[in-house]
Amino acid sequence: MNEAHLRVGDLDVTRIGLGTNRLTKSRENVAFIRSAVAAGVQMIDTAHLYTGGDSEETIGEALSPFPEGCIVATKGGFGGPGRGRPELLHAELEQSLRRLRIDTIYLYYLHRVDPETPIEESLGAIKEHRDRGTVRYVGISEVGIDQIERARRVVPIAAVQNHYNLSERKYESVVDYCTEEGIVFVPFFPLRGDGGGALAEIARRHRATPRQITLAWLLRRSPAMLPIPGTLSLDHLKENLAALKIDLSDAEFEALR
Ligand SMILES: NC(=O)c1ccc[n+]([C@@H]2O[C@H](COP(=O)([O-])OP(=O)(O)OC[C@H]3O[C@@H](n4cnc5c(N)ncnc54)[C@H](OP(=O)(O)O)[C@@H]3O)[C@@H](O)[C@H]2O)c1
């Protein structure tokens, strides 16, 4: 039986979150975010980059002051060489605080390692916010084990967010590393990829959709896994949360592996 909750920092949250990289600002989307939390989502994933700032602003408008137990994670430092320079990260982080209408970001990720800025310098900038109290926990995105270990020498790393799903498996060793080290592994693009014919058959057997089986597979893959499927539909979101109740047999898990 998969655990329905996972500890992120010092809070236990529902093990399926919500990705918001298509969230634009509208009355409907403000209502959608509130309904998502009411439906049981406790980890909302956004970034400084998303929808030109609309995603963070919409979440800020919908949730501030944030309900107890609900985590909003955001990210900064995306966009290519130079974007991980400390002064840019400080500026983005301060903008994220304003857009989200909060004083402390619960989980802040370095969105990408900057090829021109040593990872230690980018993480050092985020650590300054952690020391100041404007960031509570730190994460890092699209990284290998060496980079995570370098990052951890600067600041504790609570979460790693990498591209991972049924078809994209280049980070298997990172999943195992995070599991062993007690770091939350957040797979992005969790619903992409294809489990082939076996997926459709297993879905039929569980009277579930292939996407639900995909999520159930991820949950089963590691107890450290916390997928953040992106959706703008409350029906889809509820369907995604319902995947928490699906238990795959060992044979089903292996057939999709
Ligand atoms: N760290 C990074 O660099 C990085 C990169 C990319 C993404 N991300 C994060 O990861 C999140 C997830 O990625 P993603 O949203 O791009 O891809 P995804 O979660 O793999 O798939 C989202 C797509 O699936 C659809 N969908 C969701 N639930 C569904 C359901 N139950 N039934 C049918 N369709 C469903 C969505 O459309 P509907 O709106 O119609 O449901 C959308 O088209 C993003 O939102 C973002 O927060 C992070």
Side-chain angles (χ1 to χ4, degrees):
M1 181 85 172
N2 289 322
E3 287 292 331
H5 294 89
L6 178 60
R7 180 148 288 223
V8 180
D10 58 6
L11 279 177
D12 288 330
V13 299
T14 311
R15 258 179 92 200
I16 288 187
L18 172 67
T20 65
N21 60 358
R22 289 176 299 132
L23 191 72
T24 50
K25 226 166 138 191
S26 67
R27 211 170 334 142
E28 292 74 21
N29 283 348
V30 168
F32 168 68
I33 291 295
R34 290 184 183 140
S35 305
V37 172
V41 164
Q42 291 181 296
M43 158 77 96
I44 298 183
D45 185 84
T46 182
H48 182 270
L49 169 87
Y50 293 167
T51 49
D54 268 17
S55 175
E56 288 185 326
E57 282 186 14
T58 305
I59 294 164
E61 182 172 340
L63 298 184
S64 168
F66 286 18
E68 211 172 305
C70 177
I71 291 177
V72 175
T74 192
K75 325 178 188 75
F78 189 98
R83 297 306 304 181
R85 291 208 310 273
E87 65 273 22
L88 287 184
L89 280 172
H90 286 304
E92 287 195 1
L93 205 149
E94 269 146 31
Q95 208 174 8
S96 291
L97 285 165
R98 280 196 299 278
R99 289 172 178 169
L100 289 165
R101 306 183 192 185
I102 50 180
D103 299 323
T104 302
I105 293 167
Y106 188 83
L107 173 59
Y108 192 84
Y109 294 92
L110 178 63
H111 204 157
R112 282 293 182 280
V113 176
D114 179 350
E116 285 182 355
T117 309
I119 194 169
E120 289 78 7
E121 283 182 29
S122 303
L123 266 304
I126 298 174
K127 181 181 183 294
E128 278 179 43
H129 286 270
R130 188 171 169 271
D131 294 343
R132 229 183 272 170
T134 39
V135 164
R136 204 60 194 280
Y137 294 100
V138 179
I140 187 163
S141 178
E142 273 301 88
V143 281
I145 293 172
D146 289 355
Q147 290 169 312
I148 302 171
E149 292 195 328
R150 280 175 67 183
R152 291 177 86 188
R153 286 196 274 276
V154 179
V155 65
I157 295 296
V160 165
Q161 186 172 136
N162 281 2
H163 190 178
Y164 186 82
N165 57 43
L166 273 181
S167 305
E168 176 52 79
R169 310 282 281 282
K170 66 177 174 286
Y171 288 121
E172 292 293 7
S173 61
V174 176
V175 174
D176 293 335
Y177 175 86
C178 288
T179 309
E180 282 157 22
E181 297 292 318
I183 295 172
V184 176
F185 185 89
V186 177
F188 73 73
F189 294 151
L191 298 176
R192 294 205 185 170
D194 181 13
L199 181 61
E201 168 52 27
I202 294 168
R204 260 196 304 280
R205 214 178 294 152
H206 285 266
R207 293 197 172 81
T209 68
R211 285 184 182 84
Q212 288 177 312
I213 298 297
T214 297
L215 291 171
W217 188 88
L218 288 168
L219 295 172
R220 168 73 192 267
R221 168 65 182 84
S222 159
M225 189 82 70
L226 200 165
I228 45 162
T231 183
L232 294 170
S233 147
L234 193 58
D235 288 341
H236 287 173
L237 179 139
K238 288 180 178 166
E239 222 176 84
N240 296 341
L241 284 172
L244 289 164
K245 299 207 172 75
I246 299 174
D247 277 317
L248 300 179
S249 69
D250 291 349
E252 289 168 338
F253 177 73
E254 288 305 327
L256 295 171
R257 199 179 177 108

PDB file of all heavy atoms in Angstrom, residues 62-96:
ATOM      1  N   ALA A  62      -5.081  33.652  -4.741  1.00  0.00           N
ATOM      2  CA  ALA A  62      -6.023  32.610  -4.321  1.00  0.00           C
ATOM      3  C   ALA A  62      -5.811  32.200  -2.867  1.00  0.00           C
ATOM      4  O   ALA A  62      -6.788  31.938  -2.154  1.00  0.00           O
ATOM      5  CB  ALA A  62      -5.870  31.381  -5.221  1.00  0.00           C
ATOM      6  N   LEU A  63      -4.570  32.169  -2.415  1.00  0.00           N
ATOM      7  CA  LEU A  63      -4.304  31.472  -1.141  1.00  0.00           C
ATOM      8  C   LEU A  63      -3.790  32.351  -0.012  1.00  0.00           C
ATOM      9  O   LEU A  63      -3.849  31.940   1.146  1.00  0.00           O
ATOM     10  CB  LEU A  63      -3.299  30.336  -1.364  1.00  0.00           C
ATOM     11  CG  LEU A  63      -3.746  29.227  -2.310  1.00  0.00           C
ATOM     12  CD1 LEU A  63      -2.682  28.130  -2.344  1.00  0.00           C
ATOM     13  CD2 LEU A  63      -5.093  28.637  -1.895  1.00  0.00           C
ATOM     14  N   SER A  64      -3.275  33.529  -0.311  1.00  0.00           N
ATOM     15  CA  SER A  64      -2.695  34.322   0.761  1.00  0.00           C
ATOM     16  C   SER A  64      -3.810  34.845   1.681  1.00  0.00           C
ATOM     17  O   SER A  64      -4.771  35.418   1.175  1.00  0.00           O
ATOM     18  CB  SER A  64      -1.911  35.480   0.143  1.00  0.00           C
ATOM     19  OG  SER A  64      -1.582  36.400   1.112  1.00  0.00           O
ATOM     20  N   PRO A  65      -3.736  34.681   3.014  1.00  0.00           N
ATOM     21  CA  PRO A  65      -2.704  33.951   3.741  1.00  0.00           C
ATOM     22  C   PRO A  65      -2.844  32.442   3.538  1.00  0.00           C
ATOM     23  O   PRO A  65      -3.953  31.911   3.572  1.00  0.00           O
ATOM     24  CB  PRO A  65      -2.992  34.322   5.197  1.00  0.00           C
ATOM     25  CG  PRO A  65      -4.450  34.618   5.250  1.00  0.00           C
ATOM     26  CD  PRO A  65      -4.831  35.146   3.907  1.00  0.00           C
ATOM     27  N   PHE A  66      -1.708  31.778   3.320  1.00  0.00           N
ATOM     28  CA  PHE A  66      -1.746  30.364   2.937  1.00  0.00           C
ATOM     29  C   PHE A  66      -2.350  29.491   4.025  1.00  0.00           C
ATOM     30  O   PHE A  66      -1.983  29.614   5.190  1.00  0.00           O
ATOM     31  CB  PHE A  66      -0.327  29.867   2.629  1.00  0.00           C
ATOM     32  CG  PHE A  66       0.197  30.374   1.311  1.00  0.00           C
ATOM     33  CD1 PHE A  66      -0.381  31.463   0.685  1.00  0.00           C
ATOM     34  CD2 PHE A  66       1.250  29.759   0.702  1.00  0.00           C
ATOM     35  CE1 PHE A  66       0.087  31.932  -0.526  1.00  0.00           C
ATOM     36  CE2 PHE A  66       1.735  30.221  -0.524  1.00  0.00           C
ATOM     37  CZ  PHE A  66       1.156  31.310  -1.130  1.00  0.00           C
ATOM     38  N   PRO A  67      -3.273  28.590   3.644  1.00  0.00           N
ATOM     39  CA  PRO A  67      -3.866  27.705   4.640  1.00  0.00           C
ATOM     40  C   PRO A  67      -2.809  26.822   5.290  1.00  0.00           C
ATOM     41  O   PRO A  67      -1.830  26.449   4.640  1.00  0.00           O
ATOM     42  CB  PRO A  67      -4.845  26.844   3.830  1.00  0.00           C
ATOM     43  CG  PRO A  67      -4.778  27.296   2.429  1.00  0.00           C
ATOM     44  CD  PRO A  67      -3.734  28.333   2.276  1.00  0.00           C
ATOM     45  N   GLU A  68      -3.017  26.523   6.555  1.00  0.00           N
ATOM     46  CA  GLU A  68      -2.061  25.687   7.286  1.00  0.00           C
ATOM     47  C   GLU A  68      -1.886  24.340   6.572  1.00  0.00           C
ATOM     48  O   GLU A  68      -2.869  23.761   6.105  1.00  0.00           O
ATOM     49  CB  GLU A  68      -2.596  25.447   8.696  1.00  0.00           C
ATOM     50  CG  GLU A  68      -1.478  25.280   9.703  1.00  0.00           C
ATOM     51  CD  GLU A  68      -2.027  25.253  11.105  1.00  0.00           C
ATOM     52  OE1 GLU A  68      -2.739  26.211  11.482  1.00  0.00           O
ATOM     53  OE2 GLU A  68      -1.759  24.266  11.787  1.00  0.00           O
ATOM     54  N   GLY A  69      -0.669  23.891   6.477  1.00  0.00           N
ATOM     55  CA  GLY A  69      -0.418  22.577   5.887  1.00  0.00           C
ATOM     56  C   GLY A  69      -0.291  22.603   4.383  1.00  0.00           C
ATOM     57  O   GLY A  69      -0.029  21.573   3.763  1.00  0.00           O
ATOM     58  N   CYS A  70      -0.474  23.766   3.762  1.00  0.00           N
ATOM     59  CA  CYS A  70      -0.373  23.845   2.302  1.00  0.00           C
ATOM     60  C   CYS A  70       0.966  24.474   1.922  1.00  0.00           C
ATOM     61  O   CYS A  70       1.304  25.559   2.371  1.00  0.00           O
ATOM     62  CB  CYS A  70      -1.534  24.681   1.764  1.00  0.00           C
ATOM     63  SG  CYS A  70      -1.459  24.899   0.001  1.00  0.00           S
ATOM     64  N   ILE A  71       1.704  23.763   1.109  1.00  0.00           N
ATOM     65  CA  ILE A  71       3.040  24.206   0.727  1.00  0.00           C
ATOM     66  C   ILE A  71       3.020  24.781  -0.680  1.00  0.00           C
ATOM     67  O   ILE A  71       2.484  24.162  -1.595  1.00  0.00           O
ATOM     68  CB  ILE A  71       4.010  23.001   0.721  1.00  0.00           C
ATOM     69  CG1 ILE A  71       4.246  22.499   2.142  1.00  0.00           C
ATOM     70  CG2 ILE A  71       5.316  23.366   0.050  1.00  0.00           C
ATOM     71  CD1 ILE A  71       5.133  21.262   2.172  1.00  0.00           C
ATOM     72  N   VAL A  72       3.621  25.933  -0.847  1.00  0.00           N
ATOM     73  CA  VAL A  72       3.859  26.421  -2.196  1.00  0.00           C
ATOM     74  C   VAL A  72       5.365  26.406  -2.418  1.00  0.00           C
ATOM     75  O   VAL A  72       6.135  26.923  -1.613  1.00  0.00           O
ATOM     76  CB  VAL A  72       3.277  27.827  -2.412  1.00  0.00           C
ATOM     77  CG1 VAL A  72       3.650  28.354  -3.791  1.00  0.00           C
ATOM     78  CG2 VAL A  72       1.764  27.789  -2.263  1.00  0.00           C
ATOM     79  N   ALA A  73       5.756  25.749  -3.504  1.00  0.00           N
ATOM     80  CA  ALA A  73       7.172  25.688  -3.865  1.00  0.00           C
ATOM     81  C   ALA A  73       7.358  26.532  -5.113  1.00  0.00           C
ATOM     82  O   ALA A  73       6.567  26.432  -6.054  1.00  0.00           O
ATOM     83  CB  ALA A  73       7.570  24.240  -4.153  1.00  0.00           C
ATOM     84  N   THR A  74       8.394  27.369  -5.120  1.00  0.00           N
ATOM     85  CA  THR A  74       8.693  28.095  -6.346  1.00  0.00           C
ATOM     86  C   THR A  74      10.183  27.969  -6.657  1.00  0.00           C
ATOM     87  O   THR A  74      10.930  27.354  -5.905  1.00  0.00           O
ATOM     88  CB  THR A  74       8.182  29.554  -6.283  1.00  0.00           C
ATOM     89  OG1 THR A  74       8.252  30.116  -7.597  1.00  0.00           O
ATOM     90  CG2 THR A  74       8.960  30.424  -5.314  1.00  0.00           C
ATOM     91  N   LYS A  75      10.558  28.513  -7.817  1.00  0.00           N
ATOM     92  CA  LYS A  75      11.929  28.300  -8.300  1.00  0.00           C
ATOM     93  C   LYS A  75      12.441  29.574  -8.961  1.00  0.00           C
ATOM     94  O   LYS A  75      11.635  30.364  -9.481  1.00  0.00           O
ATOM     95  CB  LYS A  75      11.975  27.200  -9.373  1.00  0.00           C
ATOM     96  CG  LYS A  75      11.013  26.059  -9.179  1.00  0.00           C
ATOM     97  CD  LYS A  75      11.116  25.049 -10.313  1.00  0.00           C
ATOM     98  CE  LYS A  75      10.026  24.006 -10.225  1.00  0.00           C
ATOM     99  NZ  LYS A  75       8.687  24.461 -10.629  1.00  0.00           N
ATOM    100  N   GLY A  76      13.751  29.695  -9.016  1.00  0.00           N
ATOM    101  CA  GLY A  76      14.344  30.821  -9.734  1.00  0.00           C
ATOM    102  C   GLY A  76      15.653  30.387 -10.359  1.00  0.00           C
ATOM    103  O   GLY A  76      16.217  29.346 -10.008  1.00  0.00           O
ATOM    104  N   GLY A  77      16.123  31.195 -11.324  1.00  0.00           N
ATOM    105  CA  GLY A  77      17.417  30.925 -11.927  1.00  0.00           C
ATOM    106  C   GLY A  77      17.323  30.125 -13.213  1.00  0.00           C
ATOM    107  O   GLY A  77      18.265  29.432 -13.567  1.00  0.00           O
ATOM    108  N   PHE A  78      16.216  30.252 -13.927  1.00  0.00           N
ATOM    109  CA  PHE A  78      16.061  29.540 -15.207  1.00  0.00           C
ATOM    110  C   PHE A  78      16.348  30.510 -16.344  1.00  0.00           C
ATOM    111  O   PHE A  78      16.007  31.677 -16.258  1.00  0.00           O
ATOM    112  CB  PHE A  78      14.611  29.013 -15.323  1.00  0.00           C
ATOM    113  CG  PHE A  78      14.388  28.096 -16.491  1.00  0.00           C
ATOM    114  CD1 PHE A  78      14.419  26.714 -16.313  1.00  0.00           C
ATOM    115  CD2 PHE A  78      14.158  28.604 -17.765  1.00  0.00           C
ATOM    116  CE1 PHE A  78      14.211  25.859 -17.383  1.00  0.00           C
ATOM    117  CE2 PHE A  78      13.953  27.763 -18.844  1.00  0.00           C
ATOM    118  CZ  PHE A  78      13.972  26.382 -18.649  1.00  0.00           C
ATOM    119  N   GLY A  79      16.924  30.011 -17.443  1.00  0.00           N
ATOM    120  CA  GLY A  79      17.005  30.876 -18.623  1.00  0.00           C
ATOM    121  C   GLY A  79      18.356  30.877 -19.295  1.00  0.00           C
ATOM    122  O   GLY A  79      18.565  31.621 -20.243  1.00  0.00           O
ATOM    123  N   GLY A  80      19.281  30.061 -18.825  1.00  0.00           N
ATOM    124  CA  GLY A  80      20.547  29.963 -19.545  1.00  0.00           C
ATOM    125  C   GLY A  80      21.690  30.634 -18.815  1.00  0.00           C
ATOM    126  O   GLY A  80      21.543  31.058 -17.668  1.00  0.00           O
ATOM    127  N   PRO A  81      22.839  30.727 -19.505  1.00  0.00           N
ATOM    128  CA  PRO A  81      24.057  31.223 -18.869  1.00  0.00           C
ATOM    129  C   PRO A  81      23.843  32.567 -18.162  1.00  0.00           C
ATOM    130  O   PRO A  81      23.259  33.492 -18.742  1.00  0.00           O
ATOM    131  CB  PRO A  81      25.029  31.368 -20.041  1.00  0.00           C
ATOM    132  CG  PRO A  81      24.524  30.417 -21.073  1.00  0.00           C
ATOM    133  CD  PRO A  81      23.032  30.356 -20.898  1.00  0.00           C
ATOM    134  N   GLY A  82      24.283  32.630 -16.938  1.00  0.00           N
ATOM    135  CA  GLY A  82      24.207  33.887 -16.183  1.00  0.00           C
ATOM    136  C   GLY A  82      22.991  33.982 -15.276  1.00  0.00           C
ATOM    137  O   GLY A  82      22.950  34.793 -14.349  1.00  0.00           O
ATOM    138  N   ARG A  83      21.969  33.137 -15.526  1.00  0.00           N
ATOM    139  CA  ARG A  83      20.713  33.290 -14.770  1.00  0.00           C
ATOM    140  C   ARG A  83      20.831  32.833 -13.320  1.00  0.00           C
ATOM    141  O   ARG A  83      19.929  33.071 -12.527  1.00  0.00           O
ATOM    142  CB  ARG A  83      19.573  32.512 -15.442  1.00  0.00           C
ATOM    143  CG  ARG A  83      19.201  32.958 -16.826  1.00  0.00           C
ATOM    144  CD  ARG A  83      18.883  34.420 -16.931  1.00  0.00           C
ATOM    145  NE  ARG A  83      17.824  34.870 -16.028  1.00  0.00           N
ATOM    146  CZ  ARG A  83      17.369  36.114 -15.965  1.00  0.00           C
ATOM    147  NH1 ARG A  83      17.872  37.042 -16.751  1.00  0.00           N
ATOM    148  NH2 ARG A  83      16.418  36.443 -15.110  1.00  0.00           N
ATOM    149  N   GLY A  84      21.925  32.146 -12.998  1.00  0.00           N
ATOM    150  CA  GLY A  84      22.084  31.702 -11.607  1.00  0.00           C
ATOM    151  C   GLY A  84      23.011  32.606 -10.808  1.00  0.00           C
ATOM    152  O   GLY A  84      23.459  32.237  -9.724  1.00  0.00           O
ATOM    153  N   ARG A  85      23.287  33.801 -11.364  1.00  0.00           N
ATOM    154  CA  ARG A  85      24.150  34.731 -10.618  1.00  0.00           C
ATOM    155  C   ARG A  85      23.410  35.203  -9.368  1.00  0.00           C
ATOM    156  O   ARG A  85      22.194  35.452  -9.405  1.00  0.00           O
ATOM    157  CB  ARG A  85      24.510  35.939 -11.485  1.00  0.00           C
ATOM    158  CG  ARG A  85      25.429  35.621 -12.658  1.00  0.00           C
ATOM    159  CD  ARG A  85      26.284  36.830 -13.044  1.00  0.00           C
ATOM    160  NE  ARG A  85      25.476  38.038 -13.217  1.00  0.00           N
ATOM    161  CZ  ARG A  85      24.877  38.387 -14.368  1.00  0.00           C
ATOM    162  NH1 ARG A  85      24.958  37.632 -15.439  1.00  0.00           N
ATOM    163  NH2 ARG A  85      24.185  39.519 -14.428  1.00  0.00           N
ATOM    164  N   PRO A  86      24.134  35.334  -8.251  1.00  0.00           N
ATOM    165  CA  PRO A  86      23.468  35.687  -7.002  1.00  0.00           C
ATOM    166  C   PRO A  86      22.565  36.916  -7.103  1.00  0.00           C
ATOM    167  O   PRO A  86      21.434  36.897  -6.624  1.00  0.00           O
ATOM    168  CB  PRO A  86      24.640  35.923  -6.040  1.00  0.00           C
ATOM    169  CG  PRO A  86      25.690  34.978  -6.533  1.00  0.00           C
ATOM    170  CD  PRO A  86      25.560  34.996  -8.036  1.00  0.00           C
ATOM    171  N   GLU A  87      23.024  37.974  -7.784  1.00  0.00           N
ATOM    172  CA  GLU A  87      22.193  39.189  -7.791  1.00  0.00           C
ATOM    173  C   GLU A  87      20.878  38.956  -8.537  1.00  0.00           C
ATOM    174  O   GLU A  87      19.830  39.499  -8.158  1.00  0.00           O
ATOM    175  CB  GLU A  87      22.961  40.401  -8.344  1.00  0.00           C
ATOM    176  CG  GLU A  87      23.375  40.330  -9.803  1.00  0.00           C
ATOM    177  CD  GLU A  87      24.719  39.631 -10.038  1.00  0.00           C
ATOM    178  OE1 GLU A  87      25.158  38.841  -9.177  1.00  0.00           O
ATOM    179  OE2 GLU A  87      25.316  39.871 -11.104  1.00  0.00           O
ATOM    180  N   LEU A  88      20.906  38.119  -9.578  1.00  0.00           N
ATOM    181  CA  LEU A  88      19.657  37.823 -10.300  1.00  0.00           C
ATOM    182  C   LEU A  88      18.736  36.953  -9.461  1.00  0.00           C
ATOM    183  O   LEU A  88      17.519  37.142  -9.427  1.00  0.00           O
ATOM    184  CB  LEU A  88      19.954  37.144 -11.635  1.00  0.00           C
ATOM    185  CG  LEU A  88      20.534  38.035 -12.721  1.00  0.00           C
ATOM    186  CD1 LEU A  88      20.684  37.261 -14.022  1.00  0.00           C
ATOM    187  CD2 LEU A  88      19.638  39.243 -12.966  1.00  0.00           C
ATOM    188  N   LEU A  89      19.338  35.981  -8.766  1.00  0.00           N
ATOM    189  CA  LEU A  89      18.517  35.113  -7.906  1.00  0.00           C
ATOM    190  C   LEU A  89      17.859  35.930  -6.795  1.00  0.00           C
ATOM    191  O   LEU A  89      16.676  35.748  -6.492  1.00  0.00           O
ATOM    192  CB  LEU A  89      19.383  34.004  -7.296  1.00  0.00           C
ATOM    193  CG  LEU A  89      19.657  32.824  -8.213  1.00  0.00           C
ATOM    194  CD1 LEU A  89      20.673  31.889  -7.569  1.00  0.00           C
ATOM    195  CD2 LEU A  89      18.369  32.056  -8.509  1.00  0.00           C
ATOM    196  N   HIS A  90      18.621  36.850  -6.191  1.00  0.00           N
ATOM    197  CA  HIS A  90      18.025  37.694  -5.136  1.00  0.00           C
ATOM    198  C   HIS A  90      16.833  38.462  -5.696  1.00  0.00           C
ATOM    199  O   HIS A  90      15.777  38.531  -5.082  1.00  0.00           O
ATOM    200  CB  HIS A  90      19.056  38.690  -4.593  1.00  0.00           C
ATOM    201  CG  HIS A  90      20.090  38.071  -3.709  1.00  0.00           C
ATOM    202  ND1 HIS A  90      19.771  37.337  -2.590  1.00  0.00           N
ATOM    203  CD2 HIS A  90      21.448  38.082  -3.761  1.00  0.00           C
ATOM    204  CE1 HIS A  90      20.891  36.913  -1.996  1.00  0.00           C
ATOM    205  NE2 HIS A  90      21.920  37.340  -2.697  1.00  0.00           N
ATOM    206  N   ALA A  91      17.014  39.029  -6.897  1.00  0.00           N
ATOM    207  CA  ALA A  91      15.938  39.853  -7.477  1.00  0.00           C
ATOM    208  C   ALA A  91      14.716  38.992  -7.781  1.00  0.00           C
ATOM    209  O   ALA A  91      13.573  39.380  -7.484  1.00  0.00           O
ATOM    210  CB  ALA A  91      16.443  40.537  -8.748  1.00  0.00           C
ATOM    211  N   GLU A  92      14.939  37.805  -8.342  1.00  0.00           N
ATOM    212  CA  GLU A  92      13.796  36.932  -8.671  1.00  0.00           C
ATOM    213  C   GLU A  92      13.085  36.483  -7.404  1.00  0.00           C
ATOM    214  O   GLU A  92      11.859  36.444  -7.339  1.00  0.00           O
ATOM    215  CB  GLU A  92      14.282  35.701  -9.456  1.00  0.00           C
ATOM    216  CG  GLU A  92      14.673  36.019 -10.869  1.00  0.00           C
ATOM    217  CD  GLU A  92      14.805  34.772 -11.744  1.00  0.00           C
ATOM    218  OE1 GLU A  92      14.571  33.656 -11.261  1.00  0.00           O
ATOM    219  OE2 GLU A  92      15.153  34.950 -12.929  1.00  0.00           O
ATOM    220  N   LEU A  93      13.883  36.137  -6.406  1.00  0.00           N
ATOM    221  CA  LEU A  93      13.281  35.629  -5.173  1.00  0.00           C
ATOM    222  C   LEU A  93      12.421  36.708  -4.514  1.00  0.00           C
ATOM    223  O   LEU A  93      11.304  36.447  -4.048  1.00  0.00           O
ATOM    224  CB  LEU A  93      14.399  35.160  -4.245  1.00  0.00           C
ATOM    225  CG  LEU A  93      14.027  34.116  -3.223  1.00  0.00           C
ATOM    226  CD1 LEU A  93      15.218  33.222  -2.923  1.00  0.00           C
ATOM    227  CD2 LEU A  93      13.492  34.702  -1.947  1.00  0.00           C
ATOM    228  N   GLU A  94      12.923  37.933  -4.522  1.00  0.00           N
ATOM    229  CA  GLU A  94      12.135  39.001  -3.904  1.00  0.00           C
ATOM    230  C   GLU A  94      10.848  39.245  -4.682  1.00  0.00           C
ATOM    231  O   GLU A  94       9.793  39.500  -4.100  1.00  0.00           O
ATOM    232  CB  GLU A  94      12.986  40.263  -3.746  1.00  0.00           C
ATOM    233  CG  GLU A  94      13.678  40.246  -2.382  1.00  0.00           C
ATOM    234  CD  GLU A  94      15.059  40.867  -2.361  1.00  0.00           C
ATOM    235  OE1 GLU A  94      15.288  41.799  -3.165  1.00  0.00           O
ATOM    236  OE2 GLU A  94      15.904  40.412  -1.558  1.00  0.00           O
ATOM    237  N   GLN A  95      10.939  39.126  -6.002  1.00  0.00           N
ATOM    238  CA  GLN A  95       9.723  39.279  -6.824  1.00  0.00           C
ATOM    239  C   GLN A  95       8.733  38.140  -6.536  1.00  0.00           C
ATOM    240  O   GLN A  95       7.525  38.369  -6.454  1.00  0.00           O
ATOM    241  CB  GLN A  95      10.116  39.276  -8.297  1.00  0.00           C
ATOM    242  CG  GLN A  95       9.159  40.054  -9.168  1.00  0.00           C
ATOM    243  CD  GLN A  95       9.653  40.156 -10.605  1.00  0.00           C
ATOM    244  OE1 GLN A  95      10.635  39.514 -10.989  1.00  0.00           O
ATOM    245  NE2 GLN A  95       8.955  40.943 -11.398  1.00  0.00           N
ATOM    246  N   SER A  96       9.255  36.919  -6.364  1.00  0.00           N
ATOM    247  CA  SER A  96       8.369  35.786  -6.059  1.00  0.00           C
ATOM    248  C   SER A  96       7.649  36.014  -4.730  1.00  0.00           C
ATOM    249  O   SER A  96       6.452  35.732  -4.605  1.00  0.00           O
ATOM    250  CB  SER A  96       9.167  34.483  -5.987  1.00  0.00           C
ATOM    251  OG  SER A  96       9.638  34.138  -7.270  1.00  0.00           O
TER     252      SER A  96
END
